[in-house]
Amino acid sequence: MGFSDYRTALVTGASSGIGAATVRRLCAEGLEVHALGRDHRRLARLSAETGCRACALDVNDLAALTRLGGSAEFDVLVNSAGQSRRSNILDTAPDDVDTLVDVNLRAVLHLTRLIVPSMAQRNRGHVINISSIAGHYAFGENATTFNSSAAYHATKSGIHSLSQQLRIDLYGTCIRITEVSPGRVATSIFQNQNAADNPDARFVGAFETLQSEDIAEAIAFAVGAPARMNVAMIEVVPTFQVVGELRFASRSDTTRLREMTSGADNA
């Protein structure tokens, strides 16, 4: 099993970034790739470049997803669409929670339930879920990163859990499940990353950063592996990125926080 055994693929988030790079990579292997995204102009250009089938729709449109899921027998599903927000739980906006859950988790669940049963009937298929190191590690703001949102971490952790459970649900079939968990990738999460007035520019320009093509290559490795081999999870980070840190709050900080809390209680 590998590229020679697959004929069709569906890639979400195909308007740019990892999704677009994956479309190019899979098309290069001769698959008929359906590229799903919201930006019809970018999809049209991608289709002209690669020959992919452009599917301009929103992953939150369940009726459209249902129609798309029944339009072909997809052998490969790449759940790449995702969004991020910047906040912690103390100042998270309700719309941000809804958007992240809708795009990063709910859409993935719906597409998976719409497409995987056909794979099971044919006993052939491969699901690639793009998660994030944010789904496995907690990290806060420091000199080299910014504080991601609790909602983002939670949705990516959900993708990790979903990938594990899918292997249980599909045990005994030839369907493979791969989770690709990237570190920092130069994608649209850093909008206008080279702009001088963009505060996030330093998170890309000053540090080694993965490119979307690096993740597409990881996906190609998993899909092209022999039938006996299921690449269950790939964590891909820049060579000079390390995950995790140990930090302590000083006694003066904790004392000041207790005093502030006590003052508020006595007000």
Side-chain angles (χ1 to χ4, degrees), residues 117-228:
S118 175
M119 291 181 176
Q121 291 172 3
R122 290 176 284 118
N123 199 30
R124 182 178 73 242
H126 200 142
V127 179
I128 308 285
N129 290 327
I130 307 300
S131 63
S132 167
I133 59 171
H136 313 289
Y137 308 100
F139 46 85
E141 187 171 3
N142 59 40
T144 65
T145 189
F146 61 85
N147 186 38
S148 189
S149 72
Y152 181 79
H153 281 252
T155 58
K156 290 304 183 178
S157 181
I159 294 302
H160 173 65
S161 181
L162 168 64
S163 301
Q164 292 181 313
Q165 189 61 42
L166 284 175
R167 297 186 196 103
I168 301 296
D169 292 354
L170 296 168
Y171 174 74
T173 74
C174 292
I175 302 171
R176 299 183 293 182
I177 309 296
T178 297
E179 176 189 356
V180 179
S181 180
R184 182 176 297 160
V185 184
T187 64
S188 58
I189 186 174
F190 300 102
Q191 293 287 352
N192 301 316
Q193 59 198 29
N194 295 320
D197 60 347
N198 176 27
D200 290 343
R202 64 189 177 91
F203 297 126
V204 173
F207 303 97
E208 182 183 56
T209 305
L210 295 173
Q211 301 300 309
S212 298
E213 291 75 18
D214 299 327
I215 309 305
E217 286 299 327
I219 293 170
F221 170 75
V223 175
R228 65 181 179 275

Side-chain angles (χ1 to χ4, degrees), residues 247-258:
R247 294 194 297 177
F248 291 86
S250 67
R251 288 190 176 91
S252 60
D253 289 339
T254 55
T255 299
R256 184 168 58 253
L257 181 60
R258 282 197 298 268

Side-chain angles (χ1 to χ4, degrees), residues 65-80:
L65 289 185
T66 302
R67 290 191 296 271
L68 178 61
S71 66
E73 292 183 339
F74 295 107
D75 296 319
V76 179
L77 169 63
V78 182
N79 287 307
S80 176

